[in-house]
Amino acid sequence: MDYQNYFQNNRQTHLNELTELLKIPSISALSEHKGDVQKAAEWIAEAMRSAGMENVEVNPTAGHPIVYGEYLHAPGKPTVLVYGHYDVQPIDPLNLWDTPPFEPSIRDGKLYARGATDDKGQMFLHIKAVEAILKQEKQLPVNIKFCIEGEEEVGSPNLPIFLDKNQDKLAADVVVISDTSLLAPGRPAICTGLRGLCSLEVSVHTANTDLHSGTFGGGVPNALHALVALLASLHDDKGRVAVDGFYKGTPELSAELREEIAKSSQDESKLAASLGLDTLYGEEGYSFTERTGVRPTLELNGVYGGFQGEGSKTVIPKEAHAKITCRLVGEQDPQDILDKIEAHLQQRVQPGAKLVVKQMEKAHAFNIDPDIPLLQKAADAYSKVYGTRALFTKDGGSIPIVETLSRVLEAPAVMMGFGLPDENLHAPNEHFNLDNFDKGLLTIVEYLKSL
């Protein structure tokens, strides 16, 4: 079958459909968008039905729905579970977007919109690939199940519950996920490791009201001063996390692994220049690729308190806040890390200040052996379409549910990404390169047929 001509002839129709999905502001983190998330789930369900999926369901949860569909007419053949998500990140800061985030536009061969690459665009490829095979061949070479959730961007709190209750329904020989990136244009990659994650919110409280800095300055605790001192204590001057026991369970990097990582390393001076930086920064003794792929981190995501409007207001704030996330590797336990960070902070609170810590997301790291045949076949599929075989890489990001899916279903997770590292996922002007939209469709078809 000539799939290249099929996808070329249907390209505009497919892009129009994806544009419809991208217009839905399915921001899972914001309660005012709950209706939009529901609308996106129903859109996905209808797209599955149109593609030929059967027993399509929009399953309610305590949060946002999980969409399921299946096509099980290949007895004796492998069963593939496609996982993805239709929820998206918030759009702040809106003023940094060149075009409205939910009004998709194509510029220079790139489709701009929130969710274009993470993950609506990549997830959409699988629906269209399956539809193409069914339309052209009237049957699939394997059994297919879809499990598309609406809470990945908030840590997938309800999918493990759904998975536990529906293990038989979701049982598969392989879990296929497209929510990662190529190394660079024309350089495909298959992620064989994801860092774990934990997060917390920290608040410091002092007096029972904001105070005049002339009347009280120098004589009472300042919540911002107390918080800044706490946050500064979290790292040493060599970029290492200074929390006692933070690195427990972190594997040493073997010479072989460092050599493999070096194959996908970037020119650090060019990377810094592209980001408008004089130099990169991080844990001493490691390359940028090692720091961002196989080493743990502790990052401040937001620090706020006191007066932030235009001009001056001479005030001593009564409270200050910070949001912190950690990326975890190896055997680091997210609950253990959260407890250690909280203990570190509690031990260092300034006199007169009170600390409140809210522990939040928790996810273990994920790793898989690239020699597994199902991963090797995926690398071959990329080779046939891109002309170069995919490298096996470690990804610095976290998809918390991947480890859970693979462990509970006892199935390897094959992460076939079609995004690019510079597509601004989670940032203003998110986009998806349409060259990878085209090649992604062909690669997925090649992979499914190879199984």
Side-chain angles (χ1 to χ4, degrees):
M1 295 292 176
D2 188 350
Y3 283 94
Q4 188 152 358
N5 273 339
Y6 172 88
F7 286 125
Q8 189 60 43
N9 292 338
N10 289 277
R11 189 176 195 258
Q12 193 57 54
T13 298
H14 293 163
L15 288 176
N16 290 345
E17 291 173 4
L18 177 55
T19 295
E20 287 180 16
L21 176 60
L22 292 171
K23 286 181 177 179
I24 304 172
S26 50
I27 304 171
S28 55
L30 302 179
S31 57
E32 61 262 36
H33 286 284
K34 186 173 180 64
D36 295 313
V37 181
Q38 178 73 34
K39 182 179 178 182
E42 292 167 354
W43 192 99
I44 295 294
E46 187 53 41
M48 285 186 192
R49 294 186 189 101
S50 296
M53 292 296 98
E54 300 172 345
N55 301 317
V56 176
E57 305 166 348
V58 178
N59 296 279
T61 73
H64 300 304
I66 295 166
V67 186
Y68 174 84
E70 63 186 24
Y71 192 90
L72 308 177
H73 298 289
K77 301 295 178 64
T79 297
V80 177
L81 175 68
V82 176
Y83 164 82
H85 66 93
Y86 61 85
D87 63 319
V88 300
Q89 282 276 322
I91 56 176
D92 310 83
L94 185 59
N95 64 297
L96 295 183
W97 287 80
D98 293 334
T99 51
F102 296 111
E103 295 179 17
S105 62
I106 295 176
R107 303 191 299 276
D108 301 320
K110 303 170 184 177
L111 175 59
Y112 285 81
R114 173 59 90 225
T117 190
D118 181 25
D119 176 47
K120 288 177 177 177
Q122 296 199 59
M123 175 270 298
F124 180 78
L125 296 177
H126 289 272
I127 298 175
K128 293 293 117 178
V130 167
E131 179 183 82
I133 297 173
L134 281 173
K135 283 193 171 182
Q136 295 220 111
E137 304 189 31
K138 310 305 178 189
Q139 61 182 359
L140 296 180
V142 293
N143 301 294
I144 291 281
K145 299 176 180 179
F146 280 91
C147 179
I148 312 298
E149 70 159 320
E151 296 184 320
E152 192 275 341
E153 299 293 6
V154 291
S156 303
N158 289 293
L159 186 52
I161 300 168
F162 180 79
L163 177 59
D164 186 57
K165 292 179 179 178
N166 295 276
Q167 285 190 41
D168 290 340
K169 175 185 283 191
L170 297 174
D173 298 293
V174 60
V175 181
V176 177
I177 302 165
S178 294
D179 196 12
T180 51
S181 299
L182 284 71
L183 285 171
R187 295 182 65 198
I190 295 172
C191 175
T192 61
L194 292 165
R195 292 192 288 189
L197 174 73
C198 64
S199 66
L200 61 156
E201 293 182 356
V202 177
S203 299
V204 171
H205 302 268
T206 51
N208 57 10
T209 183
D210 287 354
L211 297 169
H212 190 290
S213 67
T215 305
F216 291 92
V220 296
N222 181 312
L224 275 172
H225 291 185
L227 179 63
V228 169
L230 279 178
L231 300 180
S233 76
L234 291 169
H235 292 86
D236 66 19
D237 59 4
K238 294 184 178 180
R240 283 178 62 85
V241 178
V243 174
D244 187 41
F246 180 83
Y247 291 95
K248 180 183 177 182
T250 301
E252 291 297 321
L253 303 189
S254 67
E256 292 78 12
L257 179 57
R258 300 192 87 159
E259 184 178 339
E260 187 67 24
I261 291 171
K263 293 178 183 178
S264 59
S265 292
Q266 306 181 54
D267 183 314
E268 296 194 4
S269 59
K270 287 183 179 179
L271 175 60
S274 74
L275 297 173
L277 298 170
D278 295 329
T279 184
L280 301 177
Y281 177 79
E283 186 182 4
E284 191 173 285
Y286 297 93
S287 70
F288 170 83
T289 306
E290 290 169 344
R291 291 169 184 162
T292 58
V294 293
R295 293 296 293 167
T297 66
L298 187 156
E299 296 287 347
L300 306 181
N301 307 126
V303 180
Y304 51 100
F307 178 66
Q308 299 176 56
E310 184 179 358
S312 174
K313 182 183 182 184
T314 53
V315 64
I316 298 173
K318 73 185 184 83
E319 61 183 67
H321 311 272
K323 295 178 183 288
I324 300 172
T325 53
C326 298
R327 302 291 176 166
L328 311 177
V329 302
E331 299 302 318
Q332 284 182 299
D333 179 79
Q335 184 61 61
D336 178 59
I337 294 296
L338 288 171
D339 291 342
K340 285 173 176 173
I341 295 171
E342 182 168 352
H344 174 98
L345 296 172
Q346 292 287 5
Q347 291 166 9
R348 291 165 174 79
V349 182
Q350 284 186 1
K354 300 179 183 67
L355 177 69
V356 177
V357 175
K358 180 183 178 183
Q359 299 186 4
M360 298 174 66
E361 300 162 287
K362 290 174 281 188
H364 287 85
F366 169 77
N367 285 284
I368 191 170
D369 183 353
D371 290 333
I372 293 174
L374 287 161
L375 274 78
Q376 292 294 323
K377 283 181 179 290
D380 293 338
Y382 277 108
S383 180
K384 289 181 179 179
V385 176
Y386 283 83
T388 183
R389 203 165 188 271
L391 287 176
F392 294 101
T393 62
K394 303 291 185 183
D395 196 304
S398 304
I399 309 175
I401 200 62
V402 172
E403 186 271 341
T404 305
L405 282 168
S406 184
R407 172 173 45 82
V408 174
L409 298 179
E410 298 181 343
V414 180
M415 286 177 276
M416 302 180 68
F418 298 101
L420 285 171
D422 63 354
E423 289 182 333
N424 288 26
L425 60 166
H426 292 209
N429 299 313
E430 179 181 348
H431 57 277
F432 190 18
N433 282 257
L434 294 182
D435 181 58
N436 291 319
F437 176 87
D438 297 331
K439 289 177 178 174
L441 289 164
L442 292 169
T443 304
I444 293 167
V445 169
E446 285 285 350
Y447 183 57
L448 294 178
K449 290 173 73 70
S450 76
L451 299 182

